[in-house]
Amino acid sequence: MVNNRRSELEIIGKILTLSADGAKPTEILYKGYLSYTQFKKYLPFLLERDIIAEKNVVRDNGRAKIYMITAKGKEFLK
């Protein structure tokens, strides 16, 4: 039987890849195939270590929160 579960590093790598150009939380959830529970587990871990940064941006329809990979995050991804 093959285990199709992703490792923690694979999940972190996917979040970092998706946040390369800035991504909203829902974009990371859907494109990363993450549950809300997984997202809430990894987000504080990445923010506390300055691997991703949270930014508030103003868009046409109001404010939005996006996540961007940091230089430290890019180094981690390599």
Side-chain angles (χ1 to χ4, degrees):
M1 186 166 136
V2 176
N3 184 355
N4 290 329
R5 296 183 65 184
R6 295 181 288 175
S7 72
E8 289 183 339
L9 284 177
E10 288 172 314
I11 293 170
I12 290 170
K14 187 66 173 177
I15 293 170
L16 294 178
T17 301
L18 290 169
S19 63
D21 295 323
K24 293 189 289 185
T26 51
E27 190 176 346
I28 295 171
L29 284 167
Y30 293 130
K31 290 183 179 178
Y33 301 105
L34 299 172
S35 69
Y36 182 73
T37 304
Q38 287 174 311
F39 182 71
K40 284 299 191 184
K41 174 185 174 185
Y42 291 103
L43 184 64
F45 175 83
L46 296 171
L47 288 169
E48 289 168 6
R49 287 158 181 80
D50 194 35
I51 296 173
I52 63 170
E54 182 180 273
K55 304 217 185 257
N56 290 313
V57 296
V58 178
R59 298 215 172 149
D60 296 336
N61 55 356
R63 294 178 179 243
K65 190 176 290 189
I66 62 167
Y67 296 96
M68 304 264 322
I69 191 170
T70 63
K72 190 175 179 180
K74 289 176 184 175
E75 195 61 37
F76 179 85
L77 197 54
K78 286 181 184 179

